[in-house]
Every structure is written in C-alpha cells, then in structure tokens.
Amino acid sequence: MWALPPVAVLGVVFLYPLGLVVAQSLTGEAGVGAYAEVFGSAAFREALTTTVLLAVGATVGCVVLGFVLALIVAFVPFPGSRGVARFIDVFLSFPSFLITLALLFVYGTVGMANGLWTDVTGAAHGPFDFLTTPWGVLLAEITYFTPFVMRPLLAAFGQLETAQLEVASSLGARPARIVRQVVLPEAYPALMAGGSLVLVLCLNEFAIVLFTGAKDVVTLPMLIYSTAILESDYGTACVVATVNIVLSVGLYGLYRVLTARAAPARRHRGRAPGRAGTGGKESARAGAHV
C-alpha cells in the first residue's frame, strides 16, 4: 500500500505524458498509416541514420578514450590524480550545452584558435570551422560523455586486486599484456555498462546539436523539435518521438542487463580477500595465466 502513492505520482508525471505521445501517434488523422508515411520520408531516414552514426561514433570514442584515461588515473601515479578523479564526479553534473559553449570559445569562427591563427598569419579567416559539421557534434559529445565511461571504470579498477598485477609483472608480463589479460576482463562489464549508457544518452542528445549551430546535422530529437515547434505538425512529431522512445527503452534495457552482470562480479571481488589462504593462490593462478 505504501508503494501506491509514489507509483501513482510516477504514472501521472512521467508515464501519462508518454502515453499521450504514443496514443497521438496512433490516433491522428492518418492513424497507423502515419508510421508508413514517416518511415517512407527521406527526412526521417536521414535523421535516423545521422542519429545512429553519431551515437555509435561517440560511444566508440568515449569507450576508447575513457578506458585509456581511467587506466592513467587509476594506475599511473602523478600529482593531483585524486583531484582528477573527484573532478570527474563534478563534471557529470555539468549541462551538455556548457561544454559546447566552451568548444565554441576555443574552435568557433571567432574563437581563440582562429584568432591566434589570424594574428600569426594575417589571414582573414581561421581554418577551424568544423564545429558546425557532424565532426564538431561528435567532438562535443565525446568530450562531454567520456566521464560517464570513466566513472564506472574507476570504480571497477578500485576493486581490482593489486596482487594480480604484481604477480603478472613479476612473471615478466609487459604492461600492454597485463592490461589485455588481467585488467580488461575485470573491467569489461563496467566498460560495457558505461558504453551502453553513453549510447542511450547520445541517441537522445539535443542541446549539443542545437548549440553547435550545425544546421545540416538533423538528428531524431532535432527532427521532433522542428516538426512540432516550427511546422506545428504534432502528429508526425509524435510518431518520430515514439520511435525514439522505443530505441531509447531498448538500449536502456541493454544497459540494465550489463549493469546487472557487472554487480555480481564486483561483489565476488569484494568477498575474495576474505577467504583465508586463497588470495595468494588466486593471484598466482592469475599471474601464471598471464
């Protein structure tokens, strides 16, 4: 009974508006045929392709860059490493458009990079004009979402037994092999969970595309905005929004599955040191495998 009030509030505040969007997409003037019209539209297919390519490209970039940076922060001692780890937590609270504005100050048409170029060369215009292209959106998304991959990786690295690394190193394994055969298998669930979360967030990102001023980059959220607000075609906007909801929920389900797989692994590693007499044997076996 105590669960009914919060569930009712959740349904009214969140689920009911989503239900209205889905219902409007099915009961508009064209009915279910609106989906056939939208799917047959070149604008929708282009927006869907752009959204998927940007989301996948940004996710790959965030996974690779986040894994490398997390390795450095976790295992390479340098002054201020703890401060960097704490800054990552703070960075997660920043709005996405703030990163886009920062990139505009650096690489924008009148940004610092172009200003320095024109001061040195005397040219009328600088060479950096990629922020209004898909590459600029990709750079902004990778910059903003990389900490979302680093945070779970740093937590996973914190649970890794250093004895495994020491044994592997004492047996002559090079750092690249230690990372590949010892660190990566332990961090793989966290890496996939972080990558899945970034994929969901990039799929629904709106502010970065809007603030970069990339008029030729039309994603599904931008198509929903232009169709509903600029063209007042709410039926088509609801159809596109429903497709976006289905994609987001499906990817979120994947994220939850990967997170659930990562949790037992972390609990297993947390219990391992408590087993008397087994820590050294397990470390030795890990080192022998390397």
Side-chain angles (χ1 to χ4, degrees):
M1 295 297 296
W2 287 104
L4 290 180
V7 170
V9 172
L10 179 66
V12 172
V13 176
F14 295 103
L15 299 182
Y16 180 68
L18 292 179
L20 289 179
V21 172
V22 176
Q24 180 63 30
S25 70
L26 296 172
T27 61
E29 296 181 359
V32 181
Y35 282 86
E37 295 179 3
V38 171
F39 291 160
S41 170
F44 171 79
R45 293 197 299 269
E46 182 178 353
L48 179 62
T49 302
T50 301
T51 302
V52 172
L53 290 178
L54 284 176
V56 172
T59 301
V60 172
C62 291
V63 167
V64 174
L65 183 61
F67 183 72
V68 174
L69 293 179
L71 280 177
I72 294 174
V73 173
F75 299 114
V76 179
F78 64 92
S81 58
R82 292 186 177 180
V84 172
R86 293 177 181 176
F87 175 75
I88 292 174
D89 294 333
V90 177
F91 189 91
L92 297 179
S93 64
F94 290 171
S96 58
F97 70 85
L98 183 63
I99 303 303
T100 307
L101 289 178
L103 291 176
L104 287 174
F105 278 118
V106 178
Y107 298 110
T109 305
V110 293
M112 293 187 297
N114 283 323
L116 181 62
W117 179 273
T118 55
D119 291 340
V120 173
T121 63
H125 304 285
F128 303 103
D129 58 352
F130 62 89
L131 281 183
T132 57
T133 68
W135 295 108
V137 177
L138 190 63
L139 173 63
E141 291 186 348
I142 292 175
T143 302
Y144 179 70
F145 289 115
T146 294
F148 287 81
V149 176
M150 295 180 63
R151 183 64 268 174
L153 280 177
L154 290 175
F157 291 159
Q159 298 292 329
L160 184 64
E161 295 182 14
T162 57
Q164 298 182 18
L165 307 180
E166 295 172 356
V167 171
S169 178
S170 66
L171 293 176
R174 294 183 178 275
R177 191 175 183 184
I178 295 176
V179 170
R180 186 175 66 253
Q181 296 188 353
V182 179
V183 178
L184 184 57
E186 296 290 333
Y188 182 77
L191 185 65
M192 292 297 100
S196 300
L197 176 61
V198 169
L199 186 61
V200 174
L201 296 175
C202 290
L203 190 71
N204 297 283
E205 182 55 41
F206 174 76
I208 287 179
V209 182
L210 182 65
F211 275 81
T212 53
K215 298 180 180 179
D216 295 332
V217 180
V218 181
T219 60
L220 288 180
M222 288 295 297
L223 182 62
I224 296 170
Y225 171 79
S226 62
T227 304
I229 304 302
L230 303 181
E231 302 176 10
S232 298
D233 187 356
Y234 296 104
T236 302
C238 288
V239 172
V240 180
T242 302
V243 174
N244 205 0
I245 291 171
V246 172
L247 291 176
S248 301
V249 172
L251 290 176
Y252 179 74
L254 175 63
Y255 165 72
R256 293 293 298 174
V257 169
L258 294 175
T259 303
R261 290 183 178 181
R266 288 195 296 267
R267 289 195 297 266
H268 175 74
R269 289 193 297 269
R271 291 194 300 265
R275 295 195 299 267
T278 61
K281 295 180 181 178
E282 292 181 355
S283 301
R285 284 198 297 270
H289 174 69
V290 174

